[in-house]
Structure formats: C-alpha cells, structure tokens
Amino acid sequence: MKVVLDHLTKRFPSRDKNGSDVIAVNDFDFEIPDGKLIGLLGPSGCGKSTTLNLICGLEAPSDGKIWFGEDDVTNLPPEHRGVGMVFQNYALYPHLTVRKNIMFPLQNLKGADKLSKEEMEARVMKAAKLVQIDKLLDRKPSEMSGGQQQRVAIARALVKTPRVLLLDEPLSNLDARLRLQTREEISRIQKETGVTTIFVTHDQEEAMSISDMIVVMKDGILQQIGKPQDVYDDPANLFVAKFLGTPPINVFEGFVENGWVMIGDEKILEVGEVEDKPVWVGIRPEGFVLDENGPLTCELERVEVMGRDTSVVARHEKLAGETIRAIIPAENKVDTSKNTVNFRVKSFKVHLFDRESEERIYFGDK
Ligand code: ADP
Ligand code: MG
C-alpha cells in the first residue's frame, strides 16, 4: 500500500506559557512507495514519532492529508486504517500468554470482520511462525528475552494483516547483538510479507542497513529522501552529510578560489567553475589517500589498526572538529616516525557546502 503525506503539518502548543508553538512535522509532502521498507531517520526530537502517530491516527494533523493508496485516511480512527504499530517498549500484557497477546487485536473485531476461534488460532500461528516464536506461545512475556518479546510485539502488529506496518525505534531496548539480529529479522519479515513498512530510528547505521529508502529529517523538516547509498554519496546539505556515516565526515573550514578548493593555504582539489567563496569542505574518511606529496598536511596523532583497514587519527588547524579520521587500506603503511602525515583526496568523496546556508555546492559532473 502506497502512503502519501500531502502537505502534512503538526503543531503543538508550547509547553511553557509564553513560548511559540512547536512545529513537530512541517509540511511533509512525499510518497512512500508500496511494499518497501522506509527508514525515518533523524536526531531525538525531530518529529519521527509524531510522523508515525499521524500516519497511524493517534494524532490528528494541524494541516494536510494522509492517503493510503487512493483512500483519504486523514479522518479515520486508528482501528479503521489497517495499520500495525510496534513501539520501543514492546507494551505486551504481562498477565497474558504470548498466544493471547498476539490474538488480542483479533478479539475486538466486530461485525463482518469477526473471526471464529479456529480462524484466530490459525492467524496467530501464522504470525508466530513468521517471527519464529511458534514454539513459545504458552509462555508469559516475563519468561522471554527482550528480543523474543519484541518479536511477539511484531507478530501482534502483523496478525490483522495490516496495510502498513509502523515501527517506532523497535530495537532501542535491545543489547547490541540482539539489535543486529532483530533488525535483520525485521528486514526478512518485511520481504516475506511485502507489507509497506516505516521504521523509525535515530541510528543512521540501523536505517542505512535495512532500508530500501531513507527519509532524513531535522526539526520537523524533511532534509532528504532516497536510497541509503545515494543519500550517503550525494548529501543535500551539511546536516545530512554529517548525520550519515561512521566514522563521520571530516569537515574543514575552507574556501574556493580560482577554481580550487583551499584549506588554509593548501590547494586541495581542482573544482573548475565554482564561485569564489567561503565553504565547508567535507571529506569522507575513505576519501583520503596517503601520499607524501599530497597537499593536505596534518599533524599525526595515532594509527589504529583494524585488520582490513587502518584508521589514521590526525589534526589540522582548519578542522571544524577535534580530530580527523582517515580510513585507508591496511597495506598502505603510515610512517609513524614523523609527526605529520600528508594526504591527497578522492574528488567524489569531497563535498562542498555554503558556509552560511550549509546547502551543498555542486562541482564537476554533479
Ligand atoms: P522524535 O520521535 O523524533 O524524538 P517527537 O515526534 O517525539 O520526536 O517530538 C517532536 C517535537 O514535538 C519535540 O519538540 C517534542 O517535544 C514535541 N512534542 C511531541 N509531542 C508533543 C505533545 N504532545 N505536546 C507538545 N509537544 C510535543
Ligand atoms: Mg520518538
């Protein structure tokens, strides 16, 4: 089911008396394609949960509409939208068995939707098998691990065969190993069911790894939407560039002069037809090439061996952060007897941003 957000806005009155309204979702106007897994990504407080709550009907928009396919669902109550919702804190009923927890949404169906006991049992079994907890149906939630409890919550969201599945930071309460495993499970379940899924997280790696498409937002405003690799390779602004990637992009204070990117008096990269002006120069960690004649001279801090790659930690007076992190192949040896290290850069790993607006400045063929 395709989901269309049509100039969707949500304003909350300020929590303090004299403050201005909070615009949690500001004129969202985009389409979520049918059958895909979408990662809704942004820092805490940027409006991710509000967006989900608008889609599932727990909140009413201040402006705009929501469409599921050709249906305008803006004024439909949550139970008539056909959405399944999973929250961070599983929210299972502790006194009910897993079977009863999963069955719960089916027991409230009325009229023509009402199911027989056998039909309910069959639906529960199908959902439980999908999330691989069919052997645990007689347990209570307290007798299960966090990962298993979250699977129960997912089964409960799927049992009504929703048109849209909404997951709000579903992995946040799990430890690192379970997080990894459960996110792969979510990706598998999504592919098996083909249900349009919106997955909210503040963790860029999580969103990048399983999403068909990511939606990056900040302060209620859409920043960029696209395939994870495309957004990483081609960020629309400095915020997006900094938000995606570990280690993060290295940002230098620089300027463009006579077709060259300058960092201090170092001529870093020829960019051709770009207006002379101050810029932020973003260089991805994998964009540095060790080269003793390279134009960028950095103060060498330390070298961290990581097996396949080597991480070079360095400093530069024009860097906007503490330290530079360059990732180079392990076979390229750094001369640690010196206290400086020189790099040249890979052009497609360098992004320029306007110093004021922080919008991307394109050069070359992009
Ligand atoms: P996220 O899920 O990305 O962390 P939220 O959607 O929860 O962000 O919140 C977005 C913004 O809206 C925040 O500034 C938050 O304080 C505000 N907000 C959320 N819910 C309410 C509410 N019920 N009343 C007032 N402000 C709210
Ligand atoms: Mg939230």
Side-chain angles (χ1 to χ4, degrees):
M1 177 66 56
K2 168 176 93 172
V3 176
V4 181
L5 308 187
D6 182 358
H7 295 286
L8 194 67
T9 294
K10 179 66 182 179
R11 267 180 239 104
F12 289 114
S14 165
R15 282 171 174 150
D16 26 78
K17 258 208 211 130
N18 303 316
S20 49
D21 288 1
V22 176
I23 307 181
V25 176
N26 195 341
D27 196 24
F28 270 22
D29 195 46
F30 58 86
E31 207 176 290
I32 291 163
D34 179 34
K36 300 283 187 212
L37 200 167
I38 304 309
L40 192 56
L41 177 65
S44 176
C46 73
K48 303 181 295 297
S49 295
T50 305
T51 307
L52 275 204
N53 292 340
L54 289 168
I55 295 171
C56 82
L58 291 174
E59 297 274 8
S62 312
D63 271 307
K65 285 186 182 298
I66 301 166
W67 300 81
F68 286 2
E70 303 308 312
D71 294 348
D72 179 352
V73 300
T74 318
N75 298 313
L76 275 188
E79 62 274 20
H80 293 144
R81 291 194 186 190
V83 290
M85 183 104 179
V86 177
F87 300 93
Q88 172 177 341
N89 56 353
Y90 337 122
L92 302 177
Y93 300 107
H95 58 288
L96 297 183
T97 60
V98 167
R99 184 191 314 278
K100 287 269 154 60
N101 263 288
I102 300 175
M103 198 178 285
F104 195 82
L106 299 179
Q107 289 172 324
N108 295 323
L109 293 177
K110 302 220 166 58
D113 295 332
K114 201 166 159 45
L115 298 176
S116 70
K117 185 98 178 74
E118 291 70 36
E119 283 167 320
M120 286 198 265
E121 289 284 351
R123 292 267 209 111
V124 169
M125 189 47 91
K126 190 171 164 220
K129 281 210 167 106
L130 192 63
V131 303
Q132 298 176 345
I133 48 160
D134 47 306
K135 304 280 190 302
L136 308 174
L137 286 173
D138 296 316
R139 291 203 190 170
K140 293 273 176 65
S142 61
E143 297 163 336
M144 308 178 92
S145 71
Q148 288 167 335
Q149 290 184 50
Q150 195 52 299
R151 286 167 193 241
V152 177
I154 296 169
R156 186 179 55 185
L158 289 171
V159 76
K160 274 167 80 177
T161 50
R163 302 196 280 181
V164 181
L165 179 64
L166 305 170
L167 304 149
D168 194 351
E169 312 237 12
L171 310 179
S172 298
N173 284 358
L174 307 180
D175 66 40
R177 194 182 53 85
L178 262 178
R179 247 198 331 261
L180 210 70
Q181 196 186 335
T182 312
R183 85 181 186 206
E184 282 162 14
E185 279 289 288
I186 289 173
S187 166
R188 176 188 61 77
I189 292 163
Q190 195 278 326
K191 287 200 181 74
E192 267 184 57
T193 57
V195 59
T196 307
T197 300
I198 307 176
F199 177 97
V200 160
T201 178
H202 61 272
D203 181 332
Q204 58 90 22
E205 196 198 324
E206 207 165 274
M208 299 271 285
S209 63
I210 62 168
S211 308
D212 296 309
M213 223 166 84
I214 56 172
V215 175
V216 185
M217 54 190 291
K218 178 195 172 199
D219 300 337
I221 297 173
L222 174 72
Q223 304 292 305
Q224 195 168 359
I225 181 165
K227 289 183 182 157
Q229 190 69 46
D230 293 348
V231 179
Y232 179 84
D233 288 339
D234 217 0
N237 58 39
L238 184 61
F239 173 81
V240 174
K242 285 164 81 170
F243 202 72
L244 300 186
T246 39
I249 194 164
N250 301 279
V251 180
F252 298 81
E253 207 180 296
F255 54 96
V256 174
E257 192 176 78
N258 300 326
W260 282 83
V261 176
M262 307 290 296
I263 295 178
D265 52 13
E266 298 172 324
K267 285 174 110 172
I268 302 303
L269 186 69
E270 196 170 7
V271 285
E273 301 274 305
V274 177
E275 190 190 338
D276 287 4
K277 61 165 140 182
V279 295
W280 295 115
V281 184
I283 308 177
R284 292 279 181 206
E286 67 277 20
F288 294 94
V289 181
L290 211 54
D291 178 350
E292 58 186 31
N293 299 315
L296 188 68
T297 305
C298 305
E299 197 184 319
L300 182 61
E301 182 104 342
R302 62 180 188 278
V303 173
E304 293 173 1
V305 177
M306 301 188 298
R308 189 187 35 159
D309 309 310
T310 299
S311 172
V312 182
V313 183
R315 289 178 188 273
H316 193 284
E317 64 163 348
K318 296 294 180 191
L319 189 76
E322 272 289 290
T323 52
I324 299 165
R325 259 179 199 274
I327 306 289
I328 58 169
E331 58 273 22
N332 300 359
K333 297 290 180 238
V334 182
D335 182 354
T336 51
S337 68
K338 292 205 239 157
N339 50 21
T340 60
V341 58
N342 277 64
F343 297 108
R344 63 186 153 82
V345 295
K346 298 176 191 167
S347 157
F348 66 105
K349 292 288 181 182
V350 178
H351 305 305
L352 303 182
F353 305 94
D354 187 277
R355 190 80 75 73
E356 296 266 305
S357 70
E358 305 192 345
E359 291 300 314
R360 177 87 174 273
I361 299 167
Y362 293 88
F363 62 86
D365 52 8
K366 54 174 190 180

